[in-house]
Amino acid sequence: MTLFLLQEAARTVVLGPTDGVVETSIINLVQWLRLIAETTGAVIICLGVVIAGATFVKALVPPQVDSFNRIRLVLARYLALALELGVTQLR
């Protein structure tokens, strides 16, 4: 009987992993990290579009046919980088 009372007293003092704040804190931390990764990917895509657009405008002033492949590659680099960040977020 005494052992049972000690076990019950210890159960109320020592919280399990689901009863504490640790699990909630880790979930919140992971959600913040996902938000940061998604935001970084969106910023990288926007930056790539702006840089590719500026390169496109520069190529239009004196019409240069060779520049369009370079513009596509610039945009593709930024999209690939953002895709790498997106792949890390998959569950």
Side-chain angles (χ1 to χ4, degrees), residues 3-51:
L3 182 60
F4 178 72
L5 291 175
L6 285 174
Q7 287 177 346
E8 288 300 316
R11 199 175 287 166
T12 58
V13 173
V14 179
L15 296 175
T18 58
D19 298 332
V21 190
V22 175
E23 184 179 6
T24 306
S25 298
I26 291 173
I27 289 172
N28 285 336
L29 176 66
V30 169
Q31 288 177 349
W32 275 106
L33 290 174
R34 268 183 94 184
L35 179 65
I36 290 169
E38 289 174 0
T39 305
T40 304
V43 167
I44 288 172
I45 291 173
C46 290
L47 183 65
V49 168
V50 167
I51 291 174

Side-chain angles (χ1 to χ4, degrees), residues 30-83:
V30 169
Q31 288 177 349
W32 275 106
L33 290 174
R34 268 183 94 184
L35 179 65
I36 290 169
E38 289 174 0
T39 305
T40 304
V43 167
I44 288 172
I45 291 173
C46 290
L47 183 65
V49 168
V50 167
I51 291 174
T55 309
F56 178 73
V57 169
K58 286 180 187 177
L60 284 179
V61 176
Q64 302 168 357
V65 178
D66 298 333
S67 299
F68 293 111
N69 194 25
R70 187 172 42 112
I71 295 167
R72 287 182 29 225
L73 289 176
V74 166
L75 183 59
R77 279 188 211 118
Y78 285 97
L79 290 176
L81 181 60
L83 180 64

